[in-house]
Amino acid sequence: MTPARAAFVAASRTRAPEVAAITRRLIAVPSPNPPGDVRACAEDCAALLRELAPAAEVSLHATSPEVTNVVARIAGAGPGRVLAFNGHLDTYPVNEALPWTVAPLGGEVRDGRLFGRGAADMKGGIAASILAFALLAQHREAWRGEAILTLAGDEETMGPLGTKWLLDHIPGLATAGAVIIGDAGSPRVLRFGEKGFLWIEVEASGTAAHGAHVHLGANAIDRLRAALDVVAALRALPVAAPPAVTAAIAAARPVSEPLAGAGEAEVLGSVTVNIGRIEGGTAPNLVPAAARAACDIRLPVGVSAAQVEAALAAGLDALPGIAWRVLRRFEPNHTDPAADIVRLAQAAAEEVLGGPVAVNMRVGGSDARWFRMAGLPTIVYGPTPHNMGGADEWADLAELEAVARVHALAAFDFLAG
């Protein structure tokens, strides 16, 4: 280890406890989505960055009356690679009707846990990246290139006014050599990719009649049931994933499944279908004339949205009274598990945690997809979410400190290497 890295490691260890105060400050400024108004939170983040990294260039970028994004950048000792941190400012709504036992925006610390809306998703992850960015700014003579921190709105509703806008408009961001995102997960699992998704709505039309005279009607719910059987059959679609992805999922299983639940590996490697909403009919004794359902289809690496849509067309278009449409689509995305940032972040995580850290895909979506679709190597590494979106959301303080150190060390090693 070089003296410069040893000094950086020591500083990351000394300053890691600051992540609690940063997270508490972020929690105190509400940014629920809906409605998605993150302006106050963005302004507070900008002020915080100016305090912690006074040499950095900090700017605010409003993309709608509610959405303001934050960009901070700092240059190292000379020309080199660009590394970006990214996080989202918006959270789930507080929902005061939930059985909170702490003040939702109070940032209470109890028994090693930090409570509050966004503690895990993802103001704790943002705090980790802010601290990592501040550490890089403090030691800028020891690395080369540029570090960029982007904090975006419009993530919880998967919109284009946050990270997508930043990629399209912020100089240098779209050519970054690596991206680190502190979204919720587990310090024991480094995520290099995530499944895509296709949300569809299926509508069935029929002919109304009295329930005693079914021969005079055409039951829309029966037609919908047949259509949903076609949708459910997508689970059997063959998957042609790159061998490196399949191998990583299998290798991660002993570490990842005890944390994420048994069956995660199968879910990561296959098409899944969730029929999330069904509507139709008015009374038991009336043949329904209309019915509809909304479905969430998740796509593993190795299955494209076009393949799934083709299968849907083949199975649904010939059914009587059935119409369907795509509500939203995103392709599965991943970074090569052998990429520099994956390798360096895994090594940093194992150094900080003193044990094995798995490298795996992620079942849920995040803003990482925007970067990967632009060809940027991207990882997601954040704290374990507890009660995410519910009452008494919390994150483990030791995990937040570990995440901050891993973000800092991975970024340093990428820029100094």
Side-chain angles (χ1 to χ4, degrees), residues 124-135:
I126 287 176
S129 290
I130 288 174
L131 183 55
F133 181 86
L135 281 160

Side-chain angles (χ1 to χ4, degrees), residues 27 92-121 384-396:
I27 288 172
Y92 288 112
V94 166
N95 191 351
E96 298 283 1
L98 294 172
W100 288 87
T101 66
V102 297
L105 305 178
E108 181 176 327
V109 175
R110 187 173 66 211
D111 300 325
R113 300 174 176 182
L114 196 161
F115 291 85
R117 177 59 78 234
D121 182 28
T384 305
H386 300 278
N387 302 335
M388 184 169 65
D392 292 356
E393 179 180 347
W394 62 275
D396 184 275

Side-chain angles (χ1 to χ4, degrees), residues 8 10-27 48-49 51-54 107 109 114 123-136 138-139 396-405:
F8 191 82
S12 73
R13 185 181 297 111
T14 299
R15 295 192 63 182
E18 294 178 34
V19 76
I22 298 172
T23 306
R24 296 182 73 233
R25 177 166 167 174
L26 297 178
I27 288 172
L48 182 59
L49 283 160
E51 294 169 17
L52 293 175
V109 175
L114 196 161
K123 290 183 174 178
I126 287 176
S129 290
I130 288 174
L131 183 55
F133 181 86
L135 281 160
L136 289 174
Q138 181 186 4
H139 295 262
D396 184 275
L397 274 178
E399 286 193 359
L400 290 177
E401 292 182 16
V403 170
R405 292 183 61 201

Side-chain angles (χ1 to χ4, degrees), residues 24-59:
R24 296 182 73 233
R25 177 166 167 174
L26 297 178
I27 288 172
V29 184
S31 51
N33 190 359
D37 189 339
V38 300
R39 290 172 294 177
C41 191
E43 290 165 3
D44 194 59
C45 283
L48 182 59
L49 283 160
R50 294 185 180 108
E51 294 169 17
L52 293 175
E57 174 191 327
V58 181
S59 56

Side-chain angles (χ1 to χ4, degrees), residues 204-223 280-291:
S205 59
T207 303
H210 193 280
H213 304 280
V214 294
H215 59 292
L216 300 178
N219 191 306
I221 291 179
D222 284 344
R223 288 178 169 179
T282 56
N285 63 334
L286 293 175
V287 175

